[in-house]
Amino acid sequence: MKKSRLHAALAGTIIASTLLVAGCSSDASSDDGTKQLTFMFRGGEDEKAAYEGAVKAFEAANDVKVKIIVTTADDYNTKLKAAITGRQVPDVFYIAPGDVQGYVNNGVIKDITSYVEGSETIDLDNIWAYGVDSYRYDGTLQGQGSIYALPKDVGPFSFGYNKTMFEAAGIPLPDPDKPYTLDEFVAVAKQLTLDTNGDGALDQWGTGLNVNWNLQPFVWSNGGDWINEDRTEVTVDTPEFAEALQWFADLQNVEGVTPSIAEGQTLDTYQRWMKGEIGFFPVGPWDVSTYAELDFDWDLIPYPVGATGETATWTGTLGIAVSNSTKHTDEAVKLAEYLSANVEAQQSLVDAGIQIPTLKDMADTWVADSTTQPANKQEFLDIVQDYGRALPANNTYNGEWYDEFFTNIQPVIDGKQTAADYVKEAQPKMQAFLDSANEQAAQAAAMNK
């Protein structure tokens, strides 16, 4: 996954210990006395244009001015952190689930529960539960308790396939409802891995998956996980986990259905997918506008299933939070509500091809629209409402324990170390980071009481 897609899926965690509780927000009023808010977010031109239109409508309806601050995905966390430490916190701004505990425990974001539960303009029951729950925190566990942000979106990380490639190879199209087994997936991927021009070198591959963002579906479907339910113990050193990781590495080193290391360095698999050289590749809602320009037909299917027989994947999200230091709480909360759940604002973002509807009652109409891709939009919704999970570090105080897993994983992917040996080495290192994160969370919570 190229870097911009990575950031679209998940914002990096800002180290909570460096955050300062801001005593003031940005400009409270404009020159003519009109209340003024600042809204800071990150995104490309499509997202910027959609929000500019939505904000104009909000300003007109609420007699306020909203100053928009937009950054690239790469720059957002750095600039937001600078604003916080400089005591110029935007009134309303994007946060990732992994930021929630740090921001709450350091007093940066406001508890908006009473506002949104009593609101006449927002219906929490009409927003995907995953989106709302990702920003709940009770001081101990995330996912329950008070609400500290509203979802800007939910991002189901689905699995795509090159329909044109299948048809050219004479391979039956995948069933949109019944997932492949792992063995079936490998068999089809081998049929798609070809030297199409007869020069003796492969130029088409079955797949090409990034371990950081694609291992999770296969681990979960095989019965493994990174962490236990109460988020106190790392659980990677299990047969189920090791088996899934080994299978993932073997796609390249044994089955030969992904580009080699050298081929990947020449042109990464995302670029090869865009060129029509890859059969199976992940697809998030943020990809849809870009994929409209592809020279081949594509669609969505469930991820292949492991030992549990159940498909699995993760769902990303970004939230819209309100600064604890805003001088205009009511208006700031209304802006967060508007951007999260106003029908017209949502439609502009959906039309831009950067997200699925956050509102449940918009989703059926969106799915039924046969004029836009993908054809199987229902797969996105199935992930959100049925089986999508949070990424392992989304609901912990920081992600250092999770990042540690991927730090030295390359020898496994290259076939130079077994998965079983690697997870045995990685688990105690990860546990030390997780213990530290939980200690930091407890200390920060105690200081904030």
Side-chain angles (χ1 to χ4, degrees), residues 316-380:
T317 177
L318 279 172
I320 302 175
V322 173
S323 168
N324 218 9
S325 59
T326 182
K327 294 180 173 65
H328 305 302
T329 299
D330 289 345
E331 290 79 8
V333 174
K334 284 183 181 180
L335 177 59
E337 290 178 348
Y338 186 89
L339 297 174
S340 176
N342 176 269
V343 173
E344 288 76 20
Q346 276 290 299
Q347 192 63 56
S348 66
L349 293 167
V350 173
D351 289 346
I354 54 179
Q355 69 178 65
I356 71 170
T358 300
L359 300 175
K360 295 177 184 178
D361 61 7
M362 288 181 64
D364 289 340
T365 301
W366 175 75
V367 165
D369 182 3
S370 61
T371 65
T372 58
Q373 288 184 305
N376 184 24
K377 297 181 185 68
Q378 184 62 46
E379 184 61 29
F380 277 145

Side-chain angles (χ1 to χ4, degrees), residues 65-115:
K65 297 288 186 181
V66 180
K67 179 182 179 182
I68 290 177
I69 304 170
V70 60
T71 78
T72 65
D74 292 346
D75 292 340
Y76 183 76
N77 283 330
T78 300
K79 291 186 176 181
L80 178 59
K81 178 181 173 181
I84 292 171
T85 56
R87 303 172 70 83
Q88 291 293 319
V89 189
D91 297 281
V92 180
F93 55 97
Y94 276 6
I95 67 168
D99 296 327
V100 170
Q101 294 185 42
Y103 283 140
V104 172
N105 289 344
N106 288 275
V108 176
I109 57 177
K110 188 175 292 293
D111 179 348
I112 59 173
T113 310
S114 61
Y115 295 90

Side-chain angles (χ1 to χ4, degrees), residues 165-186:
M165 186 183 290
F166 269 73
E167 292 170 340
I171 301 172
L173 298 180
D175 191 312
D177 300 312
K178 182 182 178 183
Y180 289 123
T181 66
L182 297 184
D183 288 342
E184 290 170 341
F185 174 72
V186 170

Side-chain angles (χ1 to χ4, degrees), residues 214-246:
N214 284 109
L215 180 61
Q216 301 86 353
F218 304 108
V219 168
W220 289 332
S221 184
N222 208 50
D225 209 338
W226 272 257
I227 195 171
N228 67 347
E229 189 171 347
D230 65 5
R231 303 156 205 167
T232 58
E233 294 181 13
V234 176
T235 59
V236 300
D237 187 11
T238 65
E240 295 83 4
F241 195 111
E243 183 180 59
L245 176 56
Q246 191 64 59

Side-chain angles (χ1 to χ4, degrees), residues 128-148:
W128 300 113
Y130 173 86
V132 177
D133 292 346
S134 292
Y135 305 99
R136 291 184 182 272
Y137 181 46
D138 65 3
T140 301
L141 288 178
Q142 194 169 332
Q144 59 191 38
S146 298
I147 300 171
Y148 288 92

